[in-house]
Amino acid sequence: MSSSSSRTMSSLLLIASLALLCSTTTIAKQQYHEFVIKEAAVTRLCKSQNIMTVNGQFPGPSLEVNEGDCLVVKVTNKGRYNVTVHWHGVRQMRTGWADGPEYVTQCPIRPGQSYTYRFTVQGQEGTLWWHAHSSWLRATVHGALIIRPRRGVAAYPFVNHGKPPVREIPILLGEWWNMNPIDVVRAATRTGAAPNISDAITVNGQPGDLYKCSSKDTTTFPVNSGETNLLRFINAALNTELFVSLAGHTMTVVGADASYTKPYATSVLMIAPGQTTDVLVTFDQPPGRYYLAARAYASAQGVPFDNTTTTAIFDYGASSSSTTSKSPAMPTLPAYNDTSAATAFTTSLRGLRKAELPSRVDENLFFTVGVGLFNCSQGQSCGGPNNTRFTASINNVSFVLPSAVSILQAHYHTTNGVFTADFPANPPVAFDYTAQNVSRGLWQPVPGTKVYKLKYGAAVQLVLQGTNIFAAENHPIHIHGYDFYILAEGFGNFDAAADTAKFNLDDPPMRNTVAVPVNGWAVVRFVADNPGVWLMHCHLDVHITWGLAMAFLVEDGVGVLQSLEAPPPDLPLC
Ligand code: C2O
């Protein structure tokens, strides 16, 4: 038998045993879903257009599981673009083949083809989501992934007086263009200019009362007086961090990114793209209609953004005519550039329990994150400022996806020439990252497909340092395949001597996406206990398009349980 056919044999055996694992435990359940990617006609902002959807729904279907369940989702592409689906925040222990970022863990599913994602949701509870991970398809191809405590065994830790929340309401915040988002990003990639900003922010797919032709479709959430409900917020917007507030009501945060937090009462949330926030709200105000409103937290100076405001209505007492005739109460939102409001929120979150941090750090990484400009080369279209093209990078490397095979396949089959393992642990040049005027010589990154190798089990500390190149901005940095503790964040340049003392080693929040402060830094820690290739990137799609990404390659440990599974037989080919 050739080594490749014996490998296929063993992979078939492994799949068979995995399928058994999914169905034989008594409490965990296997769920099967079919996602058909197809166009659907919708009307928003007075205009009809065709959008890409899952099963014709926008937002897409909500998946509801219990911790420990196994999900099997067959994705069939009946659209006209390549597509993949990413299960944002799911750790995918040993199942990197089901993670979804195109050309990182799989080749895209071509029109007419299908691929079945199989994975177990383990050790995570709360709200996650799924979205397309090809070009800008996630603008409309996304939905909630709700994880409740293990069936019959566990309960919410925030149950009050023995009462769980009466209703659970997924709230997906999105961004809408009066154009096909794929055309928007293609135009930007062609010209080198920044892509068009969106035309609306949405709540569960609807812009709401403050936009033209939208009032009659405003999202309304019926609730009853006195109920305590769980609102599961997901920021699925492409490029916009959002402030969220609910008129007349306090929100008590109990979870973020499918990790529980100590209850934190607030009137405003800041949720960055990729992040989720679970809040409890007691509807104890005079019966009536109350606006939920969201609009941009725009941290970059002089950079255009969508400054519109989306609204939805919480309605208790709609039936009495005295309340429907009045317009709903509107909350006060922070100013667009209110960095103190954003910081006050993110730094108030604490993990529910004491953190399980490794006592040692094996890998001390320092990554700069920011945008940049490529000088124009001959024959290129250079629509960026002063005849340049926009770009972005981590440690001066602007990430380039391979095109013939995914990085994970190249790693598994030891195919050379697809990527190099020389991603730098530190920026190639140390400079004053957050200075008012960073020298122009430092604005041009180098394109590359580089990974950073981690030994199985390595304890990683990563300083994410924002730069003031072109324009400083808050960057929501997401790591696939991992949750991490956020030990500290601050402004200016990270100073190990002074800032290490500020680390919260007791109850830091655990997340999968950290909003790195504008012209500042954040420090995260995780243990590399999940072998595979894991993309890390800014969750502003405009920035990932420009290359603000890199990948960790986590090597196998000892034995099957510390090793990446074999690829499924239907893994798409490029
Ligand atoms: Cu939610 Cu790589 O993304």
Side-chain angles (χ1 to χ4, degrees):
M1 213 187 268
S2 77
S3 79
S4 77
S5 71
S6 74
R7 189 164 244 187
T8 316
M9 267 306 277
S10 64
S11 74
L12 287 174
L13 284 172
L14 228 131
I15 288 154
S17 64
L18 188 82
L20 276 176
L21 245 172
C22 282
S23 56
T24 52
T25 65
T26 46
I27 15 183
K29 204 173 79 176
Q30 179 175 308
Q31 282 193 21
Y32 179 75
H33 297 273
E34 291 199 11
F35 276 20
V36 178
I37 308 287
K38 59 177 182 189
E39 282 186 29
V42 298
T43 303
R44 294 289 185 281
L45 309 177
C46 327
K47 188 174 174 272
S48 290
Q49 63 188 94
N50 278 353
I51 60 165
M52 239 9 117
T53 67
V54 166
N55 303 346
Q57 291 170 247
F58 173 64
S62 281
L63 301 183
E64 302 185 17
V65 304
N66 291 86
E67 190 271 329
D69 286 356
C70 177
L71 270 171
V72 179
V73 186
K74 181 177 182 191
V75 177
T76 303
N77 187 359
K78 294 203 173 145
R80 56 196 167 108
Y81 303 111
N82 288 342
V83 74
T84 65
V85 178
H86 167 53
W87 315 92
H88 179 113
V90 173
R91 290 223 42 210
Q92 300 285 4
M93 295 300 288
R94 303 177 47 236
T95 51
W97 306 107
D99 190 42
E102 69 174 355
Y103 301 112
V104 177
T105 61
Q106 67 166 99
C107 295
I109 307 167
R110 307 278 167 194
Q113 305 291 303
S114 60
Y115 175 51
T116 302
Y117 294 85
R118 297 168 191 271
F119 56 93
T120 301
V121 180
Q122 222 157 11
Q124 303 179 290
E125 293 176 21
T127 306
L128 293 176
W129 58 301
W130 54 264
H131 62 77
H133 213 299
S134 304
S135 183
W136 279 20
L137 282 178
R138 81 170 176 86
T140 55
V141 179
H142 62 248
L145 171 50
I146 290 160
I147 312 160
R148 302 211 170 83
R150 198 166 274 242
R151 199 171 283 109
V153 179
Y156 292 129
F158 47 76
V159 167
N160 257 332
H161 310 294
K163 276 202 223 126
V166 178
R167 296 165 208 261
E168 297 187 11
I169 307 174
I171 303 178
L172 288 104
L173 304 165
E175 218 169 339
W176 182 264
W177 275 261
N178 272 331
M179 252 178 96
N180 178 346
I182 302 296
D183 294 341
V184 174
V185 66
R186 284 185 178 170
T189 305
R190 195 174 56 243
T191 62
N196 291 352
I197 57 170
S198 54
D199 298 291
I201 311 295
T202 55
V203 178
N204 290 351
Q206 292 294 343
D209 287 356
L210 307 185
Y211 297 84
K212 57 183 181 180
C213 310
S214 304
S215 261
K216 70 175 190 341
D217 296 315
T218 298
T219 299
T220 298
F221 302 107
V223 294
N224 287 323
S225 229
E227 282 175 357
T228 297
N229 295 322
L230 177 62
L231 316 187
R232 300 174 177 274
F233 288 97
I234 297 165
N235 187 345
L238 252 59
N239 298 322
T240 309
E241 303 189 323
L242 293 165
F243 285 124
V244 182
S245 190
L246 172 56
H249 295 78
T250 299
M251 297 179 277
T252 301
V253 179
V254 292
D257 297 5
S259 289
Y260 293 118
T261 63
K262 290 196 170 72
Y264 167 63
T266 179
S267 62
V268 59
L269 315 174
M270 196 290 281
I271 316 178
Q275 295 184 323
T276 72
T277 307
D278 288 357
V279 310
L280 291 176
V281 176
T282 301
F283 291 88
D284 56 1
Q285 295 302 301
R289 299 189 305 152
Y290 296 86
Y291 271 133
L292 171 82
R295 74 176 186 195
Y297 162 46
S299 58
Q301 276 175 39
V303 173
F305 65 96
D306 180 342
N307 64 1
T308 62
T309 304
T310 185
T311 55
I313 299 168
F314 278 87
D315 186 347
Y316 44 132
S319 47
S320 81
S321 55
S322 64
T323 55
T324 42
S325 55
K326 269 197 304 187
S327 65
M330 186 72 185
T332 324
L333 284 159
Y336 299 114
N337 62 356
D338 193 343
T339 290
S340 346
T343 309
F345 177 74
T346 55
T347 57
S348 295
L349 300 183
R350 298 273 180 277
L352 180 60
R353 302 196 180 87
K354 197 174 158 45
E356 287 164 38
L357 282 163
S359 50
R360 51 170 221 285
V361 169
D362 303 311
E363 293 273 2
N364 240 307
L365 307 177
F366 186 98
F367 288 3
T368 54
V369 296
V371 293
L373 299 172
F374 280 136
N375 290 333
C376 205
S377 50
Q378 255 212 324
Q380 271 184 327
S381 151
C382 294
N386 308 312
N387 198 38
T388 58
R389 294 178 61 86
F390 274 108
T391 180
S393 65
I394 302 181
N395 276 356
N396 209 44
V397 183
S398 185
F399 191 67
V400 179
L401 289 168
S403 55
V405 67
S406 71
I407 301 177
L408 188 62
Q409 286 168 289
H411 159 58
Y412 187 80
H413 298 290
T414 53
T415 310
N416 289 326
V418 177
F419 65 86
T420 52
D422 56 350
F423 189 88
N426 291 283
V429 184
F431 60 98
D432 181 354
Y433 308 108
T434 52
Q436 207 39 256
N437 289 298
V438 176
S439 145
R440 285 280 175 150
L442 297 161
W443 285 32
Q444 280 223 72
V446 180
T449 308
K450 296 176 185 295
V451 305
Y452 190 87
K453 257 194 194 172
L454 293 170
K455 287 253 173 295
Y456 181 91
V460 182
Q461 175 170 303
L462 169 59
V463 177
L464 293 160
Q465 173 70 60
T467 72
N468 197 20
I469 291 172
F470 180 70
E473 183 164 4
N474 181 302
H475 294 282
I477 303 294
H478 171 50
I479 308 184
H480 285 227
Y482 285 90
D483 283 329
F484 46 73
Y485 289 111
I486 304 173
L487 301 188
E489 61 172 73
F491 293 97
N493 298 333
F494 175 75
D495 172 0
D499 294 328
T500 307
K502 298 175 191 154
F503 287 2
N504 176 1
L505 302 173
D506 184 45
D507 59 356
M510 183 180 250
R511 304 198 73 145
N512 62 52
T513 305
V514 57
V516 179
V518 48
N519 241 351
W521 50 268
V523 180
V524 305
R525 256 191 221 179
F526 62 96
V527 175
D529 58 358
N530 190 12
V533 172
W534 305 106
L535 189 63
M536 182 180 96
H537 62 91
C538 179
H539 217 286
L540 303 174
D541 274 22
V542 50
H543 292 170
I544 188 174
T545 303
W546 290 341
L548 213 170
M550 56 80 67
F552 287 107
L553 189 162
V554 180
E555 295 175 332
D556 283 345
V558 179
V560 178
L561 294 178
Q562 295 185 355
S563 300
L564 175 68
E565 287 180 357
D570 61 338
L571 189 73
L573 300 175
C574 282

